Amino acid sequence: MKIGYARVSTLEQNLDLQTDALKNAGCKKIISEHIGGSVANRGGIAKLKEDLREGDTLVVWRLDRFGRSLKDLVYWMDWFEKNNVGFQSISEGIDTHTSTGKLVFHIFGALAEFEHNLIKERTKAGLEAARSRGRQGGRPLKLNTEKRQLTVELYNSKKHSLKQICEVVGISKPTLYKYVGM
């Protein structure tokens, strides 16, 4: 049986592209989750280990939706071999039922990890360069210092509801909680 695995990193992202591709690939079951790839303990991955049986094939849309690193992918390749489970990646055209597919799996895994590390290095270097120029990252504050103080005073006076305070100063409840230190 073909079992699909789909993953997106944030709740704003959509799984439709992946699940459609997995259905078209013949997956009878699809396990999906919204969780970052760098998270080690992913519930969907644990479920895969429970569900995959000898002779099954795990199908993913792309390698980076499945493995966290080359080490992780190599671990899974070994697990697949020990449990007689096949692996297919639709976008990369990998099928471990063949020797060439096994080789390509390892090469693409190494390249995916290399690309991920390059992105991390560039991001870190860019942030350090910006900080050295005095620029702080992050989202700009919604209110200036004076308005933030007014917001805290209104909150502490307990004369107005949270909704009223938020409407008057034009902020959301989470922003209000941030300003009052909750």
Side-chain angles (χ1 to χ4, degrees):
M1 177 168 78
K2 286 187 173 184
I3 298 177
Y5 174 75
R7 179 187 64 80
V8 290
S9 301
T10 66
L11 292 174
E12 292 82 33
Q13 292 176 322
N14 192 316
L15 288 163
D16 292 346
L17 174 69
Q18 293 179 53
T19 55
D20 289 347
L22 294 170
K23 287 175 187 172
N24 289 337
C27 293
K28 302 294 181 210
K29 180 177 186 176
I30 297 174
I31 296 170
S32 60
E33 59 188 342
H34 289 82
I35 192 165
S38 61
V39 176
N41 296 322
R42 293 183 271 160
I45 296 289
K47 179 109 176 82
L48 283 174
K49 273 192 169 178
E50 291 174 17
D51 291 356
L52 287 168
R53 301 285 180 254
E54 185 174 332
D56 286 348
T57 300
L58 173 64
V59 183
V60 297
W61 180 60
R62 284 178 46 131
L63 278 180
D64 66 349
R65 300 292 86 202
F66 179 65
R68 298 180 304 121
S69 64
L70 176 59
K71 183 179 175 183
D72 191 39
L73 291 170
V74 169
Y75 162 80
W76 276 102
M77 189 65 202
D78 185 54
W79 189 89
F80 294 147
E81 287 178 20
K82 286 179 182 172
N83 292 281
N84 195 26
V85 171
F87 178 81
Q88 288 180 308
S89 176
I90 297 168
S91 295
E92 290 91 1
I94 298 170
D95 184 347
T96 61
H97 292 100
T98 68
S99 296
T100 304
K102 288 178 185 178
L103 173 65
V104 171
F105 178 83
H106 287 290
I107 291 171
F108 277 7
L111 291 173
E113 182 177 16
F114 176 70
E115 179 185 23
H116 176 73
N117 288 337
L118 281 177
I119 291 168
K120 281 176 36 179
E121 288 173 8
R122 282 189 222 120
T123 301
K124 186 177 178 183
L127 289 171
E128 287 173 6
R131 282 189 205 105
S132 71
R133 291 182 180 85
R135 185 164 191 279
Q136 291 296 339
R139 189 176 190 172
L141 294 173
K142 181 85 172 168
L143 304 177
N144 63 29
T145 306
E146 190 177 288
K147 286 186 179 179
R148 284 194 310 270
Q149 288 173 343
L150 173 64
T151 303
V152 171
E153 288 171 13
L154 288 171
Y155 176 82
N156 289 335
S157 73
K158 300 185 189 285
K159 294 180 181 177
H160 307 282
S161 70
L162 295 176
K163 185 177 179 182
Q164 289 172 327
I165 297 169
C166 291
E167 286 175 0
V168 167
V169 293
I171 59 174
S172 65
K173 283 184 185 178
T175 302
L176 173 63
Y177 291 138
K178 178 180 155 189
Y179 290 149
V180 297
M182 293 185 90

